[in-house]
Amino acid sequence: VVGAVVEPLAMTRPPADYVVKAGDTLFAISAALGIPSAALQHANGIEDPDSLIPGQRLTIPQGDFATEVLHRSSLEANPEREVTAWSKLVLAARAGDAAQVNRLLEAGTSANETNSDGESALMYAAWHSEMAMLERLLIAGAKVNQRNTDGWTALMYAAIKGHARVISALVNAGADVQRSARDGRTPLFAAVWNGHTQAVQVLLAAGADPQTRDKTGSTPIAEAEASGNRALLALLAGHQ
């Protein structure tokens, strides 16, 4: 809203806490917990998202409070800007509202518009496993390999949630299984983190490399070994 004054946030429910571990990134934490990274960053007063310290305790906004934090942080960054059609598209996708996404696309909204984190409607369609929405966005020209500010593509969103069917659809649409995020991790890392065996199988069949190294030198095989998941370790080892 033009000229809006942002009042201090009133917490509507007690937030959860999260203690940062070695190798954590702000976006990986937000993705795993289902919290927009902008809301997480704003709620904790984090200026540099790459400055997390192991042992640091983060406040995790939940539910309506997370949405309010995200809205307030957007207003503070852009106090002169009203909510526009493109932000409505991403918000509709984030809410899983396929009908609203379709209406906005028919009204001429670009399928590739993003929010302040570089997140697109396609990424949220992948996150929620909204197949009809995903297909509609692809038909409307959504870029399947578009990255957010952390380098994540829609394929990463699907992989971390274990949505094997979505992964297959994205791969068939041209998604690059080896496109890595800023930390060097590929969608295969994301599927392995959460023990999503079927998602791992689909990614491997599409050419994902289990020996890919991230910026710390770790690999999907090393991650599986560290987790103690023997079934995943055997699956990955069979594709070396």
Side-chain angles (χ1 to χ4, degrees), residues 7-203:
E7 300 295 337
L9 285 168
M11 196 170 295
T12 58
R13 66 182 68 185
D17 289 331
Y18 178 86
V19 178
V20 177
K21 301 186 295 293
D24 274 346
T25 65
L26 188 71
F27 191 80
I29 295 169
S30 67
L33 298 178
I35 299 293
S37 59
L40 184 59
Q41 183 173 352
H42 188 73
N44 289 277
I46 299 172
E47 294 185 4
D48 181 2
D50 295 324
S51 66
L52 296 183
I53 302 170
Q56 178 179 355
R57 186 174 294 276
L58 300 179
T59 294
I60 310 300
Q62 298 177 340
D64 294 338
F65 179 59
T67 302
E68 178 69 0
V69 170
L70 185 64
H71 175 63
R72 296 300 185 88
S73 64
S74 176
L75 283 179
E76 288 175 359
N78 304 282
E80 76 291 347
R81 179 171 61 79
E82 295 187 42
V83 175
T84 59
W86 69 258
S87 59
K88 288 179 182 178
L89 180 70
V90 178
L91 288 171
R94 183 160 65 97
D97 190 344
Q100 176 68 351
V101 167
N102 191 55
R103 282 193 291 269
L104 290 166
L105 290 173
E106 288 182 346
T109 302
S110 170
N112 293 304
E113 295 287 4
T114 65
N115 62 17
S116 60
D117 283 334
E119 295 174 313
S120 67
L122 187 69
M123 293 171 188
Y124 279 112
W127 176 267
H128 291 303
S129 190
E130 288 280 352
M131 290 300 298
M133 185 192 300
L134 189 92
E135 292 167 2
R136 178 68 179 87
L137 287 162
L138 289 171
I139 290 171
K143 296 177 182 177
V144 72
N145 288 310
Q146 185 169 338
R147 285 177 159 133
N148 67 15
T149 54
D150 283 288
W152 286 40
T153 64
L155 193 59
M156 187 75 84
Y157 282 70
I160 203 166
K161 296 290 283 185
H163 298 319
R165 186 180 172 201
V166 175
I167 293 171
S168 293
L170 291 170
V171 168
N172 288 337
D176 182 357
V177 297
Q178 284 298 106
R179 181 159 293 199
S180 62
R182 282 170 46 190
D183 57 10
R185 298 190 170 193
T186 62
L188 187 58
F189 277 92
V192 169
W193 288 339
N194 294 288
H196 296 311
T197 302
Q198 189 176 2
V200 169
Q201 289 174 327
V202 174
L203 287 165

Side-chain angles (χ1 to χ4, degrees), residues 197-223:
T197 302
Q198 189 176 2
V200 169
Q201 289 174 327
V202 174
L203 287 165
L204 289 172
D209 184 359
Q211 293 284 20
T212 298
R213 293 189 180 276
D214 66 11
K215 290 188 176 180
T216 70
S218 185
T219 66
I221 287 181
E223 299 278 340

